Amino acid sequence: MSICNKPPNKIAPENLGEAVPEVQVQRARRNGWSWPLHLFQFIAWLLYLLFALVGFGILVPLLPRHWLPAGYVCPGACFIYHLIVHLTAVSIDPADANVREKNYLGPLATFNRNQHAHVIENHHCHVCDVDVSAKSKHCGTCNKCVCGFDHHCKWLNNCVGERNYWLFLNSVLSAILGLGLLMLVACYVFTEFFIDPTTLRSDQHFEALKNHTDRWFLFLPAVPVETQASAILVTAGMFILLSLMTVILLGHLLTFHIYLMWNKLTTYEYILQQRPQQEAKEADKQLESCPSQARPSQVLVVLSVHFSNPASLVHSVKESSRTSAMCFSFSKLYVQSDDAEPEQSSSPELPSLHSAVPSQ
């Protein structure tokens, strides 16, 4: 039997042996610990452990004895507070109240764009299948409606909404303060290493190394590990660079959210406001990259005006063809100067019109 004789609107396998594609069941995520975990989440925890280990295990023990209490307490309080608010922001469920009351961890409804234009219509979510508040938005990553939706944070692997927005800000602020204090300690150790290294060797373990200034200890006072002097210098320098980059990025994020709070906006609303401006800029760039060329409609206007006088018609077509050729050459030079691909001009169509004039 030829395949051309098969019905064209076949929607099911002809026999039961053929494989049927399975529809993936959509499920929602409860918080930042729900699967799948994000790579940025692991990077955030690794950076936290790295800063804590190097800062409190290597740099702070090198401070003079009268500065040791402040070196441990001030940055340590910021790090502990950051750990608490970070864990709380990750563990909390920012979903809408009606969504949390429903068992939304089971299979969710499949959104059909042929039936509905938007996921949320008239304060009703067609995926969560519940009525939500006016400030709720449906997060595509967590696949649930979040009350007061601001953005989906990849570092927390959780949505930031009305329930955990202040926890998110406190997490950023405490990280900036803790890293800033440890960066000051690292700068002190780095400079004193060249000015007066003896001020950094106030711990009692250095008494056995008075005659060996090129030998130092790491992880004082609990687990002293002997090392070379260059290791202290490289560790302090790398810590300063990495912590400075992190503080600058976190400071930019905190400044941005202070700006949003001042203007009473969320990150989602700010993106919606900036989208038309970005589209207008892209449209302007496209117009600038495409120079104006002679259009065939201009030649048709000339033909309609001078149709009664064949001589003037031939002269006008010649002039228009010269003008179009000049415009084409200038546009070609303009496009080539911008390193763009030259566009085809409409002027090559003019000779055909010119050859048709004598027959008319």
Side-chain angles (χ1 to χ4, degrees), residues 8-30:
N9 57 349
K10 173 185 171 185
I11 58 175
E14 193 168 328
N15 51 41
L16 298 178
E18 297 184 11
V20 180
E22 297 182 358
V23 179
Q24 187 177 2
V25 179
Q26 297 183 3
R27 297 181 181 274
R29 301 175 65 256
R30 181 182 292 275

Side-chain angles (χ1 to χ4, degrees), residues 191-209:
T191 54
E192 285 295 321
F193 188 87
F194 295 99
I195 298 175
D196 188 9
T198 57
T199 58
L200 305 177
R201 301 166 67 92
S202 60
D203 192 87
Q204 59 182 359
H205 290 83
F206 286 104
E207 294 180 359
L209 300 177

